[in-house]
Every structure is written in C-alpha cells, then in structure tokens.
Amino acid sequence: MKKNIFITLVIFIGSLQLFASNKNYTLHSPDESLKLEINVDGAVSWKLFKSGEEVVSSPTISMELQKEGVLGKSPVVQKSKTTSNNSIVKTNLYKKSEVKDEYNQLLLTMRGGYSIAFRLYDSGMAYRFETSFKRDVVVVDETSNFIFENAKQAYVPYIRESIYRYQASYESPYDVKPFSDIYADSLIILPFLVENKSGVKAVITEADLEDYPGLYLTINEKRDGFDGENAKYPLKEEQGGHNNLQSIVTEYADYIAKTKGKRTYPWRVVAVSSNDYELLDNDLVYLLAEPSRIKDTSWIKPGKVAWDWWNDWNISGVDFEAGINTETYKFYIDFASEYGIEYVILDEGWSESTDLLKIKPEIDLQAIIYHGKSKNVDIVLWAGWLPLRDNMDEVYEKYASMGVKGYKIDFMNRDDQDVVNFFYESAAKAAKYKQFVDYHGSYKPTGLHRTYPNVMTYEGVFGLEQVKWTEYEDLPLYDVTAPYIRMLAGPIDYTPGAMVNANKFNWRAIHSNPMSQGTRCHQLAMYILYESPFSMLADKPTNYMREQESTEFIASIPTVFDETKALDGKLGEYLLMARRKGDVWYAAAMTNWDDRTIDFDTSFLPNGEYEITIFKDGINSYREASDYKKEIIKIKAGDILKIKMSPGGGWASIIKQL
C-alpha cells in the first residue's frame, strides 16, 4: 500500500513539474538581433522582437482536426528541444549558387500526437505544426493570426476581381493603407507587408505548401492585426472561365484538407528587416522548402524566351501573314537564334483550346521544332491547366518525344488543396519527361522551385501584360514595390522587354500594339533586378531588330546567378542591386514616377580596375521615354557613381574586370 502511495506521489509531482514547464520559451537568432518568445499556457502564443522592439505577435495558433480535436488547445509540452544549424545549401537555378542556412530552432513535442517547430533566422522567423497520427486526418481549420501593436500601414494586395472567395489570378497592385482603412470583406493575398512606426518591415508568407491549401489574411475586428484563412476543400466544380480552361469551384466543404496523419505542415513565415533593401535578398522561402527531388538537374536549361502573345503577333516587313502559323514561329526562331535567345514559346492558340492533343492545322509543330533545333533554339508550349490536368501523361509524353522542352501552364487561379497538389504532380511528371514548367494564373511561390528545380518561374504578379488593358497608371510604382514583397517569395515572371515606351502623360492602354509605362532603361533594368530563370522578351521581333543595341544588352544578361547583392532601396521608391555570374557583375536600378539621383558604391567589387557598360536614361527621356544613352567607362573598385533616373526611369550595367 505504501509503495502504491509513493508511486502515485511521484507521478503527481512529475505531472506538476511537467505542467510547470509549460510556460515560457525564448529563442534568439544567430546574430541575436531577433528574439522569439513562445508561451504555452492554455494556448500557444508567440511574440517576435527586433533589437528589443516588438514587431509582431500571435495570441493563438492551433489546428483543428475532425476526429483528433484541436491541436494547441490546452497544450501540454512533453518535451522541448533546441537545436542549431549552420550549413551551406547548394542551389539549382537560383539568384546565388549557394545559400547560408543558419538558424536556431525550438521543437515543442506536445501531448496528443503533435509538435510545433519554431525556427529563427537573422532575417525572420517561421513556425509549423507536425503530426504523428497513424491514420489519415481531415483538417477542419487552422488558426493563425498576426498582431501589430506598433503598425503604421500595410501594403495590401486584395482578391478583388473574383466573385468566388478563393479564386483569383493573384495579380493585384498594392493598396497602401492604415489598418483602419483596410476592407474587412476582402481576402489579402500573400506575401503581405506591414510597416511599423519605427520603419521596421515585416512580410508574411508561407513555405513548403504541399498537400494543403494556401493561406490568406483578413483584417481582424479590433483592426490591430490579421487572421489567417485557408482555402476550403473543393466539393463541386464546373468548367468555365477563359475559353473554358478553368475549373470553377461551385461548392466548398466545411474543412480545408484531407491528408496524411504523419506529416509536417506548411511553414508560416515572417521576414523582418530594418533596412528595406534587405528584403530584396531574402532566402527564407527557399531555405524552408523541401530539398530537390530531382537527382540529376543537368538537363534543366535556364534562359530567355521570345514571346508572341503580348505583342499580338504583330510582325512587319515580311512576305507572309503574321499570326498563329508555322511561318510566324519560324521567323521568331530566326530572330531568337540571331541574338542567342534560348527559347521560343507558342502561346495560346497553337492547339484546340480544350484539347492540347489537337494541334491547329495552321501549325506544323514538328517542322517548327526541327527549325528551332537547326538554329539552336528550343520550343516551349502554352497549356491551359484543365486540359493538361485531364491528359497530363499523354500531353507530356507526346510533346517530349517531339522535342518540346517545357510548358507555360495557365489559368489555375486557385490554391485549394486540389490545385496545390496539381502543382506538385505537374512538376514531378514534367521532370520525368525532362521538361520544365512556368506557372501562370498562379498563386505565389512557396518553395516548389527548390523541391522541383524544373519549376522555372511563376506569375502571380501585376506584370507588363496589364498595360494592354488596365486603367492603372502607376506601374513604375508597382515595379519598385513588388520586388520587396512578391519577389521575396520566389521567381517573378513579369514578362518585361517593351521597346515602345511612354511617360505618364502620354501612356495609354492598347491591346494590340502595347507600350510600357516608364523609360527604356526601366525595362532593361528588369532583366537584372527581377529574379526569373526563364525570362521573356515581351515585344515583337521587328521592334527588337530595330533596337539592336537594347536587344543585344538584354540577350547578354544571365537568368541565374552565382551571387546577389542588394545595395540600396526604399520600398515603393527605388531599388539598386548587383548580381554576379562567373567573373562578370550586372548592376541595375529603377525608380517610381519620381526622378531620382542615387549613389552607386562599387565597394562590393574585388579590388581592381573595371570596364562598365552603362545604359542610362537619356537627357530627354522625361518627355520621350525611349530616349537612352549607352556609355562605356573605366572605374576602380570603391568608386562611387551617380545614377540619375528620369520619372519612371532606370539604369542598367555590365561590369567586367580589366
């Protein structure tokens, strides 16, 4: 009897110790500039500090499962483990050849078959749930929230154009608003940036989104922060949308996912910076993604592509009728070959709209592919996502055997669990046939391009195509905002390269012969500033051939790099970056609609003398946006150059050591 009393007492004391430990945990970033406080007391909450200032907090994180209950409700910590990592990640098709992966992590193993991992880098934090159930689970909902006690304003990309709550093109400009003015009935797309009163910026996004729906935010009732909302699981769909290429969800379930019981869930990510330009070179999403599942990536060839759709096939000075036909694409190939452009794309119209296996009679695809091979130019095909999903193996096998190298997959316009799974399946199967993909009509990148490096790039951006129809007159403003927010998540298929350029006062939207907003050098700078291993030349070949100097410059810029340096910038105003490929550096700058002069400090260059080829806004570019000046000068490492940019202007350069 006494022995039983003793055992009971030991268990009771042990329980008291266990519960007593369920309180506060502290995690520091490697450089100790960030501190994360985690509290486990009735709920799981966290607070993130930078240099002593509270940046963002979360009062409750949890996950509700249909049978297993709410993970995070009345939590009991069974074990806590702190670990550190300091390693180098070798990359594929990225903005740098290697990335330092240094962080501190706290893993809280909870009673009830789940854990929560918190990870803290110098550039931000992330957390995720992990479960260890033997059977599959149904995730009813996930609770995530972000409170900003010291907020000044937010940069808000809404879902606006869709009557369906979780269905959109993910192409929205940013509304810069105080929390009091944010629409309560609209979903906010990630990545999403909040600026605190001190100037500290926080960007919320997610990483490693696999077999799970995407995350959105909504302003909370107190208007001091945001609540997470995941896309519901689709129950009923109907074919519709543009040319019947989309699958429109007409009924959603009362849960968000059906998935494996033993798994890790997506990382909820907060990137933090006191200096805006640090956000231009943030690697969190890439580092938090699963490593490559493609063992041999040598067949994946990055490069540029001559694009047909934006310029509406408007070729002039030829003796054939331009359009979606064999002669036109052979002309595109000849142009690409002359300038060393690696690819030509056949956009929508080469096949029957809803049947990718039926090629239009005006297109002799095999002849086009053979002509490309003879000129060292490869062919890429556009594909609507619904007809591709329904015949994926047949499409991939047929066109791989003909020599097609990849696909621009379009009009998903969703990120529920089914569509997220389509992204993984289409990337994996394309890799099987040694083909790559470019996702348009796409949600933001979440690291799939690391897991499957044949995922070259994504849209999900208010890109150059908007000038064909939009009334939005502030694209240069967007151009120097999106790199700090959307591009933080990953590659950005903005489709630059307009050779017809316009100032704010003389721009207008024209569908068939479009013009850019901003100067020629604004367009040239994008090829250096915007990350995209598969980068398009949006304008027509005849325009590029008339502008040989600009075209040769574009063609000479790599699309992947060994090193990236963010040098200067202010969100929504300007940016200045440099990238290195081998021994050659490429540096560029852009501004909004304000003219601007900034310093280009070349101290990042190794000691020595250099020749720098510069494309800068011409003296009259403030009134004639196509005006530019090319000059070649010699400099020494450490020299400071003045960069003067016109309204909507830019500056681009190539730097070679002598």
Side-chain angles (χ1 to χ4, degrees), residues 592-603:
N592 55 15
W593 279 126
D594 295 330
D595 63 329
R596 193 179 309 277
T597 300
I598 61 174
D599 289 337
F600 175 36
D601 187 344
T602 65
S603 297

Side-chain angles (χ1 to χ4, degrees), residues 277 280 476 478-484 487 522 525 529-530 567-577 579 588-592 596 598 643 645 651:
Y277 63 85
L280 299 169
Y478 180 86
D479 296 344
V480 295
T481 303
Y484 295 89
M487 198 168 71
H522 190 89
L529 296 172
Y530 286 177
L567 300 174
D568 194 8
K570 187 169 177 57
L571 175 64
E573 295 186 14
Y574 69 98
L575 65 153
L576 171 64
M577 298 179 69
R579 304 186 192 270
M590 283 195 305
T591 184
N592 55 15
R596 193 179 309 277
I598 61 174
I643 296 176
M645 294 180 283
W651 182 92

